[in-house]
Amino acid sequence: MSVYVMLFIAWGAGLMALFGGFLAHVEGTANTLAKQELVHGITAFGGGILMAAVAFALVPEGMRELNAWQLTGLFAAGGITFCILDAWLQNNEGNVAQFMAMLLDFVPEAISLGAVFAANPQLGVLLAIFIAAQNFPEGFNAYRELRAAKLTTKTALWGLLGVSFFGPLAAIMGYWWLSEAPQITAMIMSFAAGGILYLVFQDIAPQARMRRRWTPSLGAVLGFIIGMLSKQLLG
């Protein structure tokens, strides 16, 4: 696959945040039980596919290229770093924390996508699927937060569109600079895996739960199944 295909794929993964935001705009406020279940189900779906990304793409790459101490240190560092960022954003950014977290999460993943794509296009496509599926619910939630922060619909959607362009920019950096450095790529992926695991348990899973409603959590099962099948089909 050519570098142009990679750039298009990376941009498409970023555009999923815009599509998620557009769905949130169409859906409106979650003022009925059915709408609440939809919102929680989308959130759980994102959590499930993130867990699949950690289990089937990010951690295996780290285990293959790094020794035990490197893998442990980087995984822990990712979790601690995202914990600090999450606390700082909550204290300083208020309702735009989800938007900022999405951006901070998307950029290193897109760098890894570019680096992996140069050596293994199939794994690169798999990562793009994971990133896209992750960006969709994050864009959905980020739009709702931006609107709650009194931003207009146009400003919120333009902001999500702007995020999508970070995908090809970060991917080309990874493609040019890290394609011949699999250990560095594995380090980035291990660091991201620790951060993702923190985010799933701190932010995503708690938002997915509804009292006396059990179907939204099935979204997590569905998301994990999609990630698992992607790995199975793409190798």
Side-chain angles (χ1 to χ4, degrees):
M1 297 184 189
S2 70
V3 65
Y4 299 106
V5 173
M6 179 202 69
L7 293 175
F8 182 78
I9 290 173
W11 186 42
L15 279 176
M16 290 304 293
L18 176 62
F19 295 151
F22 184 75
L23 177 62
H25 169 64
V26 173
E27 179 270 338
T29 57
N31 54 7
T32 68
L33 187 59
K35 287 184 178 180
Q36 290 179 33
E37 289 196 81
L38 172 65
V39 171
H40 286 73
I42 291 173
T43 303
F45 176 83
I49 205 159
L50 279 172
M51 292 299 295
V54 171
F56 299 125
L58 300 178
V59 169
E61 189 73 13
M63 293 179 69
R64 182 164 51 249
E65 298 291 342
L66 305 175
N67 63 44
W69 290 108
Q70 290 172 319
L71 179 62
T72 301
L74 288 162
F75 193 92
I80 293 169
T81 300
F82 273 72
C83 175
I84 294 171
L85 286 171
D86 188 44
W88 183 85
L89 288 168
Q90 289 293 330
N91 291 331
N92 293 277
E93 299 295 339
N95 286 333
V96 301
Q98 180 72 32
F99 178 83
M100 293 296 294
M102 177 182 64
L103 182 60
L104 292 169
D105 194 21
F106 178 43
V107 171
E109 288 180 339
I111 291 174
S112 298
L113 169 63
V116 169
F117 199 92
N120 189 341
Q122 281 192 322
L123 180 57
V125 172
L126 176 62
L127 282 176
I129 293 171
F130 286 144
I131 295 170
Q134 171 189 337
N135 283 342
F136 184 82
E138 287 186 348
F140 184 93
N141 295 326
Y143 174 85
R144 290 166 57 84
E145 288 181 342
L146 292 172
R147 292 289 288 127
K150 308 303 182 184
L151 273 70
T152 66
T153 296
K154 183 181 292 186
T155 301
L157 292 176
W158 273 108
L160 293 173
L161 176 62
V163 168
S164 70
F165 291 103
F166 283 91
L169 289 174
I172 199 64
M173 290 171 56
Y175 187 87
W176 282 341
W177 298 340
L178 299 178
S179 59
E180 301 299 326
Q183 280 200 327
I184 296 177
T185 303
M187 289 178 178
I188 294 173
M189 295 173 79
S190 299
F191 180 88
I196 288 171
L197 192 63
Y198 167 83
L199 289 174
V200 167
F201 282 92
Q202 176 64 19
D203 295 324
I204 297 175
Q207 294 179 41
R209 183 178 180 273
M210 290 183 69
R211 287 181 59 83
R212 299 186 178 277
R213 289 293 180 273
W214 298 270
T215 54
S217 295
L218 291 176
V221 177
L222 177 60
F224 195 90
I225 288 172
I226 290 176
M228 182 170 56
L229 289 178
S230 298
K231 175 62 176 177
Q232 184 74 14
L233 293 173
L234 295 174

